[in-house]
Amino acid sequence: MAYFDNAATTYPKPECVYSFMDKFYRNYGFNVGRGHYTLSQKANNLIVETRNKLKDLLHCPNKQVIFEPTATISLNLIIQGIILNGAKNIYISPFEHNAVTRTLNYYEKKKDIKVHVLAVSKDLNYDLMRIRYQFDKNTPDFVIVSHASNSFGVIAPVEEIFKIAKEYNAITLVDMAQTAGLVDCNIGSSVYDFAVFAGHKTLYGPTGISGFVMNPDIQMPTIIFGGTGFDSANQYMPDDLPERFEAGTLNILGIAGLNAALNWIQQKGISTLLKVELENRKKLINILKNFWFINIVGNNESNEYVGIVSCLINGISSDSAGNIFDKFNIAVRTGLHCAPLAHKFMNTYPAGTIRFSVNYFTSDKDFEELEKALEFIEDNI
């Protein structure tokens, strides 16, 4: 299969991820924090090690790493917690995932909050001057920005936005589902309060292990309660981090895979992974531009991107195109990509787009198969 759906989950994973998961789970796949025997402690040591590797990767030894099953759960924990803390004016980019917008819409419908969209021009540039004006008019309590759009791949200037937000004492959250492990970012900076990561995307780990990095000085209530493996007589969630937000059994198999992936990323180097992905993105764009019936959406050479390209095919709907590519054993993603606000902003709503997304492992063979499919479409359109 020619795989162009890496924005949903990277595939394949590095071979070391597969082999280490199998080896570790067979030998040390025990519960942690609930047993004092040696093998359980070895599993616990892996979790500690993986937290520290994430801190190294994201340059944040001063922050706390929390593991969750998905980035969606992570975003819910943070967003709902900050709203429960009293945040009223909340700003988002036009490119947020439904994990953000659905959560906010729920609270906005209850009239608990007001959601504002950050000023972005149609060429996908964030207007920092207008954003400052927005903040002057309605002081931000909470600012949420996707580091890179999962629909169009454009990278947001999060540090610059958050520097302005901090002048207003706002809490900040960056969604790094499409960038953690790919785009270097100093999350240890004081302008970042929260950063969400998805283990199965640009971190090249398995599904079922994601989480967030947080400023430990922020007092945030939890919305999920349960066992933590210690202090069991206490009928309230402990104040300790990370346990306060890690109720229940951790995905030790997923953490093992993430650990192996982090080792691989460290060996390859983030800059190398990004370089190769952007080279593959350039190859993809050059192929798409060769076909008259394809319109690339949201590509502005002056902006920075990850390996995501959205397009439209003249005369063929997004969903129909997905079925056509599938007949050629090519995996693409079609529709709204769980980001309807982004497609409304780009005038591709409600049908959405055909999204191609490449990664480090995208091969010349993948591109050859894609060209064959596009040539067939051209001959039969």
Side-chain angles (χ1 to χ4, degrees):
M1 179 176 62
Y3 188 73
F4 289 96
D5 196 21
N6 289 282
T9 188
T10 48
Y11 181 84
K13 309 299 181 183
E15 184 58 35
C16 61
V17 173
Y18 301 124
S19 59
F20 186 69
M21 286 176 70
D22 180 66
K23 177 183 175 182
F24 190 88
Y25 206 52
R26 288 180 186 275
N27 294 286
Y28 306 108
F30 306 99
N31 211 334
V32 296
R34 291 151 174 85
H36 295 288
Y37 47 93
T38 301
L39 294 180
S40 177
Q41 189 56 49
K42 286 190 175 181
N44 186 71
N45 291 343
L46 178 87
I47 293 174
V48 173
E49 179 184 290
T50 308
R51 291 192 208 276
N52 289 333
K53 287 181 182 297
L54 280 165
K55 289 182 181 182
D56 289 342
L57 182 72
L58 299 173
H59 313 293
C60 56
N62 55 332
K63 303 284 172 71
Q64 183 61 256
V65 173
I66 315 292
F67 286 126
E68 301 296 341
T70 66
T72 293
I73 291 174
S74 300
L75 288 163
N76 268 266
L77 285 169
I78 299 165
I79 293 170
Q80 295 194 55
I82 297 303
I83 290 173
L84 290 172
N85 262 0
K88 297 297 183 184
N89 274 328
I90 300 177
Y91 285 82
I92 62 173
S93 82
F95 305 108
E96 300 309 312
H97 191 276
N98 272 341
V100 172
T101 57
R102 283 179 171 174
T103 309
L104 293 176
N105 284 340
Y106 171 79
Y107 283 97
E108 190 170 39
K109 187 176 181 180
K110 292 175 60 179
K111 303 188 185 303
D112 290 342
I113 62 170
K114 178 65 178 175
V115 178
H116 310 268
V117 179
L118 294 168
V120 179
S121 59
K122 288 300 180 181
D123 61 2
L124 306 187
N125 283 305
Y126 284 75
D127 190 330
L128 298 180
M129 186 174 295
R130 284 182 59 203
I131 288 172
R132 185 180 290 278
Y133 173 79
Q134 288 179 296
F135 290 174
D136 279 337
K137 186 175 180 181
N138 293 288
T139 303
D141 298 311
F142 191 19
V143 180
I144 305 167
V145 179
S146 283
H147 196 189
S149 166
N150 79 319
S151 296
F152 304 101
V154 64
I155 297 175
V158 283
E159 188 160 340
E160 290 87 343
I161 295 168
F162 287 176
K163 282 180 180 177
I164 300 172
K166 282 299 176 185
E167 294 177 22
Y168 299 82
N169 298 314
I171 301 294
T172 58
L173 163 60
V174 57
D175 180 354
M176 298 185 72
Q178 301 293 341
T179 57
L182 179 66
V183 180
D184 207 11
C185 195
N186 181 22
I187 298 301
S189 166
S190 60
V191 303
Y192 297 99
D193 290 312
F194 295 94
V196 169
F197 59 88
H200 65 104
K201 298 196 180 190
T202 48
L203 286 169
Y204 287 90
T207 55
I209 184 64
S210 297
F212 60 96
V213 176
M214 71 173 290
N215 176 354
D217 294 330
I218 293 180
Q219 298 300 310
M220 182 177 73
T222 185
I223 61 169
I224 297 178
F225 305 87
T228 54
F230 79 104
D231 194 21
S232 295
N234 182 2
Q235 289 300 283
Y236 298 92
M237 289 301 287
D239 292 330
D240 307 68
L241 293 173
E243 291 83 4
R244 190 196 318 164
F245 300 109
E246 289 183 348
T249 299
L250 288 175
N251 179 4
I252 185 64
L253 179 61
I255 293 172
L258 180 58
N259 185 286
L262 291 168
N263 286 337
W264 179 81
I265 290 172
Q266 185 179 39
Q267 291 167 5
K268 292 292 181 181
I270 285 184
S271 59
T272 298
L273 297 178
L274 181 60
K275 179 175 180 290
V276 173
E277 181 163 314
L278 292 180
E279 287 172 352
N280 284 331
R281 181 181 185 272
K282 186 175 181 180
K283 291 178 185 177
L284 173 61
I285 287 178
N286 287 339
I287 289 171
L288 296 176
K289 283 183 174 179
N290 282 335
F291 294 90
W292 62 268
F293 55 88
I294 292 179
N295 297 310
I296 298 174
V297 182
N299 184 48
N300 180 353
E301 297 300 331
S302 67
N303 291 326
E304 294 183 332
Y305 289 84
V306 294
I308 297 171
V309 179
S310 267
C311 67
L312 301 171
I313 294 181
N314 291 344
I316 299 177
S317 69
S318 169
D319 288 336
S320 297
N323 293 330
I324 292 171
F325 283 113
D326 183 55
K327 291 178 181 177
F328 287 87
N329 208 22
I330 295 173
V332 300
R333 186 59 60 116
T334 61
L336 298 175
H337 320 121
C338 298
L341 186 63
H343 288 277
K344 288 178 180 178
F345 181 78
M346 296 299 295
N347 296 319
T348 51
Y349 184 89
T353 58
I354 304 155
R355 184 185 71 187
F356 297 89
S357 48
V358 296
N359 76 353
Y360 178 84
F361 292 110
T362 306
S363 67
D364 289 340
K365 179 67 173 174
D366 292 328
F367 290 121
E368 290 169 9
E369 294 302 315
L370 175 60
E371 282 191 283
K372 289 179 184 177
L374 292 174
E375 286 167 359
F376 175 85
I377 293 172
E378 184 175 40
D379 291 340
N380 291 275
I381 198 166

